[in-house]
Amino acid sequence: MNGLSNGHVGKRKAGDIAFDEVDGFSAAQLFGQGVCYTYDDVIFHPGHIDFPATDVNLTTKLTRNISIRTPIVSSPMDTVTESDMAIAMASVGGAGFLHYNMTQDEQVAHLKAVKAHRLGYVTRPEVRGPDATLAECDALATSRGFTSVVVTDTGIIGGKLLGLVSSRDGDLVMDRSTKLKDVMTKATDLVTGKASDAIEKLEDALLASKKGKLPVVNDKGELVGLMTRASVKTKKLLPPPGAPSLDKKGRLLCGAAIGTRPADKDRAKALVAEGLDMVILDSSQGDSVYQIEMIKWLKDNLPELDVIGGNVVTQVQAKRLLEAGADGLRVGMGSGSICTTQEVCAVGRGQATAVYKCANLAAQFGVPIIADGGIQNSGHITKALTLGASVAMCGSMFAGTTEAPGEYFYDNGVRVKKYRGMGSLDAMAKGSDTRYLSESGHLKVAQGVSGTVKDKGPVIKMVPYLTHGVKQGFQDMGAKSMEHATELRNEGSMRMETRTGAAQKEGGVHDMHSYKKVAW
């Protein structure tokens, strides 16, 4: 430990038994050496357990003014968070941040979809107009796996329900240019649900009807949503999601990322007009005059919007953004699985050290921080939270899930989705170079990579298990809540040490001829 004193007060004797009253190091001692550590470098000592893991309260601050029940959010990356992911994250008590590697209109459309979604309904049901063709249904079956299409007069949700086309309506029709209105089951012959009814009542009606689909309409006969037998079955097989994250109007909570260019001011206005709750200023290096000016502009012109600055990894960086008025900070630089900033640019910091240092400063401003990057398992989330982060942001953890953008494909027999860093040349070509302060026409140097990740299933299944893993970690440390963990850390009762490479290897699976690692 480089000669660092661990604060021992010597041996304490209890009768004839001698033991170390104080063992390990406090966070202040461990992170005060001038060495930066990652999550895997650090291991916590167990505390005293006098409560069950289910009693651990992980409710936390996402920003200065917004609290969430689950301290996990999804990253604003173009292969991680669009409307489907944001809906899923809010439904399990967390939140999602829409990426901005798309046009303003596209980002606003995704936000509208989140705000309009009603829990229990199918996310983004396929709706078409009466003149759409069976060929379009074939394309949907290939791209999204949907075998049914709802037909409305406008071709979108909110239009008058005209009918429903399932695979049985058109599978034997040879002419795939046949219009849906010629093969659909008409609305008068469908079992429908009332939008005013509770979700539970609609589910019961669907199951009682023994049908596969239940279009839900309002008093005017306009389509509000769709429920399916498959979605009800999936819901019953998943862990209970708990209370969702909602805004003041009872809609799902949703954040988004923007840049610091002049055009991003118009983007922010458009997003706020549709109910955006919080915004991330998306930059790999947030300590810039551009971000400081944008924070001040947003606080002056859109005071109802909570602003999250970043990314930062030092207290000097954080202080400037906090003084500018940031309502939250995003901490991390070069620690993501697809990020090469530390390798290419020689800047960054070990994530455990970055989180601890920035959290100490932000706490003095009453502002929470988001630990962004380096999260690979529930243990990393536990470490991020106990070192001072209020929330853990996941990118690679959620890439490849059902709700992540992109289509599944097979690579050497493995079902995968694409995943890329926002600093990769692929992402930059689409516009993300602004987050790396790159100007158009200049040479672009990649600070990330592109690749694939395995199919991980639905995030709505993953997050409850991750959360319970974190609760068990808190229990093992003797922390009953986020506030209690902060108290233990600040008073030095939470003890920890660094691990050698051999200790890290020993802490994982080893000495097995073969094994299958199943997380849950």
Side-chain angles (χ1 to χ4, degrees):
M1 295 298 294
N2 299 328
L4 177 69
S5 170
N6 65 359
H8 281 193
V9 294
K11 301 289 184 179
R12 177 175 178 177
K13 294 186 177 181
D16 295 326
I17 300 174
F19 66 99
D20 290 330
E21 183 180 13
V22 180
D23 198 3
F25 302 89
S26 69
Q29 292 169 331
L30 189 67
F31 293 105
Q33 305 176 66
V35 177
C36 68
Y37 297 115
T38 66
Y39 294 133
D40 282 339
D41 290 326
V42 181
I43 192 71
F44 289 78
H45 287 192
H48 177 64
I49 299 175
D50 59 359
F51 56 92
T54 51
D55 284 357
V56 174
N57 182 5
L58 295 179
T59 299
T60 187
K61 286 279 190 180
L62 174 55
T63 67
R64 192 195 307 267
N65 302 302
I66 298 174
S67 295
I68 54 177
R69 180 180 57 82
T70 302
I72 305 173
V73 298
S74 63
S75 177
M77 303 172 70
D78 61 5
T79 49
V80 177
T81 308
E82 291 182 351
S83 53
D84 286 4
M85 181 64 76
I87 288 170
M89 290 303 300
S91 70
V92 293
F97 288 85
L98 303 171
H99 73 86
Y100 82 110
N101 209 15
M102 53 183 155
T103 67
Q104 175 179 311
D105 289 343
E106 288 171 336
Q107 194 176 27
V108 168
H110 280 291
L111 176 61
K112 285 183 176 180
V114 177
K115 291 299 181 180
H117 183 74
R118 185 176 175 185
L119 292 176
Y121 291 179
V122 172
T123 303
R124 288 193 303 122
E126 290 297 343
V127 184
R128 293 292 185 270
D131 292 325
T133 66
L134 288 175
E136 293 181 46
C137 293
D138 295 338
L140 289 174
T142 301
S143 63
R144 294 192 66 194
F146 280 27
T147 57
S148 299
V149 174
V150 185
V151 183
T152 67
D153 60 348
T154 60
I156 59 174
I157 289 181
K160 185 176 180 61
L161 177 65
L162 299 180
L164 178 76
V165 176
S166 69
S167 58
R168 287 172 292 183
D169 291 315
D171 56 358
L172 296 180
V173 179
M174 301 304 294
D175 183 5
R176 307 312 285 177
S177 64
T178 301
K179 294 182 178 180
L180 300 188
K181 63 183 179 182
D182 296 326
V183 297
M184 68 183 184
T185 300
K186 295 183 179 179
T188 52
D189 297 323
L190 293 173
V191 176
T192 60
K194 295 181 180 179
S196 57
D197 288 343
I199 292 296
E200 293 75 16
K201 185 176 181 179
L202 292 173
E203 290 177 349
D204 290 342
L206 174 59
L207 297 177
S209 71
K210 298 186 179 180
K211 302 291 184 180
K213 309 289 185 295
L214 183 74
V216 182
V217 297
N218 59 21
D219 293 338
K220 298 179 181 179
E222 297 166 335
L223 181 68
V224 174
L226 177 70
M227 297 184 72
T228 69
R229 194 176 191 87
S231 63
V232 173
K233 182 179 179 181
T234 299
K235 177 183 175 182
K236 293 183 181 297
L237 295 175
L238 291 174
S245 299
L246 303 176
D247 63 17
K248 295 177 181 178
K249 295 183 179 180
R251 303 172 300 181
L252 292 179
L253 197 71
C254 187
I258 63 172
T260 56
R261 302 294 175 88
D264 289 306
K265 295 178 180 178
D266 292 331
R267 184 183 289 246
K269 291 178 180 177
L271 290 167
V272 169
E274 296 300 332
L276 185 69
D277 299 293
M278 57 271 178
V279 68
I280 279 178
L281 298 184
D282 197 19
S283 175
S284 64
Q285 212 287 52
D287 184 15
S288 69
V289 64
Y290 314 109
Q291 187 158 145
I292 291 171
E293 290 174 354
M294 180 61 88
I295 291 174
K296 292 179 178 178
W297 184 89
L298 289 169
K299 299 310 297 179
D300 288 341
N301 294 273
L302 301 169
E304 70 275 25
L305 180 67
D306 273 18
V307 182
I308 301 170
N311 281 34
V312 297
V313 292
T314 71
Q315 292 187 344
V316 173
Q317 287 180 297
K319 185 171 181 289
R320 292 192 183 97
L321 302 187
L322 291 168
E323 289 176 340
D327 299 300
L329 287 180
R330 194 174 170 206
V331 175
M333 191 173 186
S335 56
S337 66
I338 39 64
C339 186
T340 59
T341 297
Q342 294 185 18
E343 176 184 331
V344 173
C345 301
V347 293
R349 200 174 200 179
Q351 187 66 347
T353 300
V355 167
Y356 175 73
K357 293 290 187 179
C358 292
N360 278 351
L361 178 71
Q364 298 176 54
F365 288 79
V367 171
I369 72 163
I370 299 172
D372 174 30
I375 302 292
Q376 300 172 30
N377 48 55
S378 60
H380 288 167
I381 297 174
T382 303
K383 290 177 181 180
L385 299 179
T386 51
L387 288 174
S390 293
V391 174
M393 176 171 279
C394 298
S396 63
M397 279 283 290
F398 296 157
T401 58
T402 306
E403 297 86 352
E407 308 299 334
Y408 285 111
F409 62 96
Y410 286 87
D411 184 8
N412 293 324
V414 179
R415 194 168 188 247
V416 298
K417 272 188 179 183
K418 289 183 178 179
Y419 178 51
R420 66 189 184 192
M422 297 305 286
S424 66
L425 293 180
D426 287 350
M428 284 187 175
K430 197 176 178 183
S432 72
D433 54 335
T434 57
R435 81 185 299 270
Y436 293 87
L437 304 180
S438 297
E439 299 292 340
S440 59
H442 286 200
L443 294 175
K444 291 179 172 58
V445 178
Q447 294 185 42
V449 299
S450 300
T452 60
V453 289
K454 291 182 180 180
D455 176 10
K456 298 174 184 173
V459 78
I460 54 174
K461 178 180 180 180
M462 181 190 296
V463 171
Y465 282 104
L466 285 174
T467 303
H468 193 68
V470 173
K471 287 186 175 183
Q472 289 181 328
F474 268 58
Q475 181 196 36
D476 284 344
M477 293 183 202
K480 300 178 181 178
S481 65
M482 299 284 285
E483 294 78 11
H484 190 204
T486 298
E487 179 183 334
L488 294 175
R489 183 182 68 254
N490 289 342
E491 70 183 18
S493 299
M494 184 179 288
R495 310 301 288 182
M496 58 196 77
E497 293 172 330
T498 57
R499 296 191 292 177
T500 63
Q504 291 183 37
K505 182 179 179 180
E506 184 181 65
V509 179
H510 58 90
D511 297 330
M512 295 285 292
H513 168 64
S514 65
Y515 70 92
K516 183 178 181 181
K517 190 173 183 179
V518 180
W520 41 75

